[in-house]
Amino acid sequence: MPLPLLDVTQILAHPRGSALAFGGLLLFKFAKLTIVCWRRQVINREVRRLTDGRAQIFQKDEDGDTCSSLVYKPRHKESTGAASSFCCECKAPGWLRREETEALVQLHECGCVMHSCCLLEVAERQHGLTLPSISDPAHAFVLLRRLFGIDAIIVDQISCPACGITSSSWATIAETRTVLPLTASRPDVLASLRRGEALCLGALRSMLLEARETHLGCWRNAAQHGELQLKKLLTDRDETERDGTDELLELLCPPKVDTVKLFFPTGSLSSQPLVTVSHKACFDFL
């Protein structure tokens, strides 16, 4: 026996028919949105798992020995280590971390460095399920194929967001010290800043909020407005390509100046000091 069909006209003719029709439409839209969000979470979770798993693959160094991480190759000649580099995705200093477990990852082909969380975001944008762009209908078609499971979920390469070079391998950069936790004290944060070691953004923000120095006006205001504003202040660069790290170090860790008095030899015309030279100036002269 065939099922009776719903007569829309009879439903709308009911005193509350329009409300029922509108409620049914909302329920259908909500169910569809729930399914899409669930599918998006499943796909992006798998992309993150594959990206992390590929970073754990053993690579070969220049001597042919098996190692768990690639040898760090700085992008700039003046770079002295991984923490002195910049993330090619968020443009933040390499020593700045969102959480204690975050590390630096280097792409093998181009040598660019980014935070591990930024790498996962790039992988989701390139291989996961994101919001489609109106200006790129071809990518929207690819997203539909991923949504309905037509295309398999694979992460075989990552395109660098800075230079555009595609890398098929990447690895975590080994660091001598662990990331400074959120509960670190002010002396520990200052010591990490001097050495250029990794520390959590929350630890730096807490130190700035508790600081009593009057010359930290803009930095304290940025810390009060949240971590995003503080990160933006650290990321901004001036005309000389210096970021906020140098300015913050000059304010928090001013160079220690030791004066050296130079006297004339015994029996000279004057025994007064000839000149006062700072320790930093002597070091620069040498």
Side-chain angles (χ1 to χ4, degrees):
M1 181 178 179
L3 296 176
L5 299 177
L6 294 177
D7 192 353
V8 181
T9 58
Q10 294 181 0
I11 296 178
L12 295 178
H14 193 272
R16 298 182 180 178
S18 57
L20 291 175
F22 184 71
L25 180 62
L26 287 181
L27 183 62
F28 172 74
K29 293 292 185 180
F30 177 76
K32 185 171 66 173
L33 179 62
T34 303
I35 294 175
V36 171
C37 292
W38 168 78
R39 180 62 179 167
R40 177 178 177 270
Q41 291 179 357
V42 171
I43 294 176
N44 291 340
R45 189 185 304 117
E46 181 67 13
V47 169
R48 285 175 171 263
R49 187 188 67 82
L50 294 176
T51 304
D52 283 336
R54 195 173 184 87
Q56 300 298 327
I57 297 177
F58 286 178
Q59 306 290 340
K60 297 288 185 178
D61 57 11
E62 298 178 355
D63 299 330
D65 298 327
T66 303
C67 59
S68 57
S69 60
L70 297 177
V71 179
Y72 175 69
K73 300 182 296 183
R75 295 179 58 195
H76 307 287
K77 294 181 179 180
E78 63 271 13
S79 298
T80 57
S84 62
S85 61
F86 301 100
C87 177
C88 61
E89 168 65 12
C90 65
K91 311 303 179 184
W95 56 266
L96 193 64
R97 310 295 169 84
R98 305 179 195 179
E99 52 191 20
E100 300 177 22
T101 58
E102 189 176 30
L104 286 180
V105 179
Q106 184 184 35
L107 301 178
H108 187 215
E109 299 299 330
C110 60
C112 296
V113 176
M114 68 177 71
H115 297 107
S116 57
C117 293
C118 294
L119 176 68
L120 296 178
E121 294 176 358
V122 172
E124 285 186 3
R125 189 165 61 245
Q126 297 180 6
H127 301 280
L129 194 61
T130 58
L131 293 177
S133 177
I134 302 177
S135 59
D136 192 1
H139 185 62
F141 179 71
V142 174
L143 293 178
L144 286 177
R145 294 176 61 90
R146 294 174 184 172
L147 176 64
F148 293 105
I150 301 175
D151 293 341
I153 305 175
I154 57 174
V155 182
D156 54 348
Q157 59 186 11
I158 294 291
S159 179
C160 179
C163 61
I165 299 177
T166 301
S167 296
S168 58
S169 60
W170 48 89
T172 303
I173 298 177
E175 294 179 313
T176 56
R177 294 177 181 266
T178 58
V179 180
L180 201 66
L182 293 171
T183 57
S185 60
R186 177 187 172 95
D188 294 337
V189 174
L190 292 178
S192 296
L193 284 175
R194 293 191 189 99
R195 295 191 296 260
E197 296 174 351
L199 58 91
C200 289
L201 179 60
L204 179 62
R205 178 172 179 262
S206 300
M207 188 204 67
L208 290 174
L209 291 176
E210 297 174 358
R212 299 181 179 179
E213 290 84 351
T214 58
H215 57 275
L216 295 175
C218 63
W219 292 95
R220 186 182 292 108
N221 293 335
Q224 291 175 353
H225 284 82
E227 294 184 356
L228 292 179
Q229 189 67 22
L230 180 58
K231 183 178 180 179
K232 184 179 182 300
L233 196 60
L234 286 167
T235 307
D236 291 340
R237 294 173 175 79
D238 55 12
E239 296 80 4
T240 59
E241 292 299 324
R242 294 178 54 193
D243 65 341
T245 306
D246 300 324
E247 179 184 353
L248 183 61
L249 282 174
E250 292 175 358
L251 294 175
L252 291 176
C253 312
K256 184 179 180 181
V257 178
D258 298 331
T259 57
V260 180
K261 295 183 178 180
L262 303 179
F263 291 87
F264 286 108
T266 305
S268 59
L269 297 177
S270 176
S271 60
Q272 299 297 325
L274 176 63
V275 65
T276 302
V277 185
S278 67
H279 177 72
K280 184 177 184 300
C282 293
F283 180 77
D284 295 338
F285 173 76
L286 294 175

